[in-house]
Amino acid sequence: MKLWLKLMNQETTPTPKKRIFSGVQPTGNLTIGNYLGAIKNWTALQNDYECIYCVVNQHAITVRQDPAHLRRATYETLAVYLAAGLDPEKNTLFIQSHVPAHAELAWVLNCYTMFGELSRMTQFKDKSAKHADNINAGLFTYPVLMAADILLYQANLVPVGIDQKQHVELTRDIANRFNAIFPDTFTIPEPYLPRTGTKIASLQDPTKKMSKSDENENATVRILDDKDTIIRKFKRAVTDSDSVVRYGEEKPGISNLMTIYSCFTGKDFAEIEKEFDGKGYGDFKMAVGEACADALTPVRTRFQELMADKAYLESIAKAGAEHAAYIARKTLSKVYRKVGFVEFKA
Ligand code: TYM
């Protein structure tokens, strides 16, 4: 092709946007860990990427769920996505069980994933210790379903907190193995971690991750907590006997609060240290609580409006699932062809 024609084409053909996929389990009231490690960052990506976000209800049943609660939590999670600022015109938002291709691809990928690989997953080890009476096969193969979620959409990037990084790395290994046998099947995804907030710690034990399922309510701040509750929880947060607001490994409690404050205000650690120089922990904890509550109050208000309009949530989930299913079906058909499944002729 002539050079001028090539240049003209480059100017007129926009580069396709990179694709993003991520999800949250509807297993309880979401925490500021889920918000700062994942959902808040998703809202910053919606203009520059093609984003697909799923409520992963099939993952949720790897531990026992009350069915009525799971149904409610599924719509609540979708409502949190919207309330946090994900625009349904710009993002595809859907519920995992509405797109059967996830379970279908997971089966195929199960046959390309090694027992040893799954045994090494730290989340499997943690969860099987926690639910010793229910170490089911789904809990073990959970990362394979997650790989199917990501690979179905040929996602380039997967924005997650640090606890999910190992699963995204396994997804890459599975995809590379499959591609080595059947070339050009899957895009190899990369984990996409936020600059700060990849691991928000428990307010009661800062050596542990803040987790939705923590039984100590003071350990977690929920996205939907009201202002008084948020401030009370921060006031009770475990710190150390020192009284200097400084970031450091030896001060995990204060460092965690500084991370949370930094995520909500955009200030870096040096600025925060300066702001609280000569002030005690009481003032600092109050400021963290205020910053967190101020950021989350509009999310809670919008969430309540959305939950009052079930028909709207259902319409978002339906449109999202239709679009997701269209993309997913293309990948699944390709995989079925490659592995040698005969086509269904209607
Ligand atoms: P889940 O539901 O446990 O968490 C959802 C997202 O929140 C992040 N996160 C945190 N980030 C920082 N600090 C914390 N304390 C914290 N707690 C949770 C998680 O890293 C995650 O990004 N297996 C996934 C869901 C999933 C998925 C996927 C994610 C299923 N399929 C495909 C990405 C792509 C999970 O259980 O996340």
Side-chain angles (χ1 to χ4, degrees):
M1 198 190 295
K2 287 203 170 72
L3 183 63
W4 64 268
L5 194 59
K6 232 182 187 169
L7 287 174
M8 240 177 67
N9 275 347
Q10 274 173 6
E11 268 170 29
T12 50
T13 323
T15 344
K17 285 181 178 174
K18 284 194 172 172
R19 194 176 279 161
I20 291 220
F21 182 94
S22 199
V24 173
Q25 290 193 67
T27 45
N29 277 334
L30 304 191
T31 71
I32 57 166
N34 301 123
Y35 185 69
L36 300 177
I39 301 168
K40 178 171 178 278
N41 307 308
W42 299 354
T43 60
L45 303 168
Q46 57 191 340
N47 292 322
D48 300 325
Y49 296 91
E50 183 193 343
C51 301
I52 304 176
Y53 298 118
C54 182
V55 179
V56 291
N57 58 345
Q58 289 172 303
H59 279 93
I61 62 163
T62 53
V63 301
R64 291 282 173 264
Q65 302 291 335
D66 169 53
H69 177 263
L70 179 60
R71 262 190 290 276
R72 194 172 53 250
T74 301
Y75 278 109
E76 282 175 354
T77 305
L78 182 64
V80 168
Y81 286 3
L82 293 162
L86 290 178
D87 178 349
E89 298 292 322
K90 295 183 182 162
N91 303 273
T92 300
L93 308 175
F94 74 105
I95 296 166
Q96 191 181 30
S97 62
H98 288 175
V99 180
H102 290 247
E104 293 172 281
L105 181 62
W107 174 254
V108 176
L109 297 182
N110 265 317
C111 303
Y112 293 83
T113 307
M114 299 302 133
F115 187 90
E117 287 176 312
L118 293 173
S119 320
R120 284 193 290 276
M121 294 294 111
T122 51
Q123 201 167 71
F124 171 68
K125 291 185 209 163
D126 293 349
K127 284 201 177 170
S128 46
K130 202 165 156 198
H131 304 277
D133 56 340
N134 182 24
I135 308 177
N136 60 72
L139 192 65
F140 187 63
T141 59
Y142 171 117
V144 184
L145 180 58
M146 182 160 159
D149 297 340
I150 298 166
L151 299 178
L152 268 180
Y153 299 95
Q154 309 287 357
N156 304 96
L157 299 170
V158 185
V160 284
I162 200 124
D163 60 319
Q164 294 300 321
K165 191 166 171 246
Q166 193 186 32
H167 290 160
V168 182
E169 277 157 4
L170 176 66
T171 301
R172 289 167 59 86
D173 292 342
I174 298 171
N176 276 318
R177 179 175 302 130
F178 198 92
N179 281 353
I181 308 170
F182 307 110
D184 302 322
T185 309
F186 296 124
T187 301
I188 308 298
E190 277 183 51
Y192 189 70
L193 302 183
R195 201 172 40 83
T196 39
T198 60
K199 184 181 176 189
I200 301 298
S202 150
L203 297 191
Q204 292 299 311
D205 177 357
T207 60
K208 268 183 18 193
K209 174 185 99 157
M210 184 182 285
S211 159
K212 288 183 211 112
S213 56
D214 201 314
E215 275 154 20
N216 181 351
E217 256 313 301
N218 286 323
T220 57
V221 175
R222 311 278 173 185
I223 298 178
L224 301 171
D225 278 346
D226 61 35
K227 184 165 185 169
D228 289 349
T229 309
I230 293 176
I231 290 181
R232 193 183 64 241
K233 287 179 176 177
F234 278 112
K235 273 191 187 159
R236 291 186 184 162
V238 168
T239 48
D240 49 57
S241 52
D242 193 3
S243 62
V244 185
V245 176
R246 184 168 34 78
Y247 193 88
E249 242 172 64
E250 70 296 353
K251 292 166 79 72
I254 283 295
S255 299
N256 186 40
L257 295 182
M258 285 178 74
T259 303
I260 295 170
Y261 190 61
S262 169
C263 290
F264 281 119
T265 60
K267 295 175 186 168
D268 65 26
F269 295 145
E271 280 175 90
I272 299 171
E273 286 173 4
K274 209 162 142 210
E275 184 180 347
F276 294 95
D277 189 21
K279 297 187 184 150
Y281 284 169
D283 286 350
F284 176 54
K285 286 179 172 181
M286 193 65 196
V288 184
E290 295 269 356
C292 174
D294 288 350
L296 294 181
T297 299
V299 177
R300 201 175 74 248
T301 308
R302 181 75 189 119
F303 170 85
Q304 280 155 355
E305 288 164 8
L306 287 159
M307 285 306 288
D309 192 352
K310 182 90 184 292
Y312 175 69
L313 291 176
E314 283 171 350
S315 73
I316 297 294
K318 182 168 184 282
E322 280 164 3
H323 183 61
Y326 173 77
I327 304 172
R329 196 41 60 188
K330 282 209 274 192
T331 303
L332 189 69
S333 301
K334 177 154 92 166
V335 168
Y336 275 14
R337 230 180 12 256
K338 295 215 180 206
V339 299
F341 289 171
V342 290
E343 218 180 309
F344 173 73
K345 304 254 192 229

